[in-house]
Amino acid sequence: LVNEESSRGYEVTKEIFDRLGISCEGRPGDRGGIFGGVRKPLYSVLKNERAWNEYNIRLPHWKEGLRRYLTESNK
């Protein structure tokens, strides 16, 4: 299962740094669909369609999930 909403690696990294109070300059990368010499889709997102429809399972937005993880892992 995955959390709600899509995100790019850059957005997740930036959110982690922001939440941990780490100042870091960065910018999103563009590999043009090439990763490790292999062509990948420019956009692909996981969906929880079956979990939603058959089991009524919904996870929080990824930012909320990340916040919870960082809070719990720092106890």
Side-chain angles (χ1 to χ4, degrees):
L1 296 176
V2 294
N3 288 87
E4 292 291 312
E5 298 299 323
S6 64
S7 62
R8 296 179 183 266
Y10 169 77
E11 295 167 320
V12 175
T13 302
K14 184 175 180 332
E15 187 70 20
I16 291 169
F17 281 32
D18 288 349
R19 290 201 174 269
L20 295 178
I22 299 170
S23 179
C24 183
E25 199 173 310
R27 62 178 188 269
D30 181 4
R31 295 188 173 139
I34 304 293
F35 186 79
V38 177
R39 180 163 289 287
K40 305 271 184 168
L42 291 175
Y43 184 78
S44 72
V45 177
L46 298 174
K47 288 176 65 177
N48 293 327
E49 198 166 293
R50 184 172 179 191
W52 298 339
N53 295 336
E54 293 184 29
Y55 305 106
N56 201 29
I57 296 173
R58 292 191 91 87
L59 296 179
H61 190 282
W62 68 266
K63 285 186 179 183
E64 174 60 16
L66 178 62
R67 183 198 64 77
R68 289 182 192 175
Y69 171 78
L70 293 173
T71 300
E72 291 297 316
S73 66
N74 285 322
K75 285 186 175 180

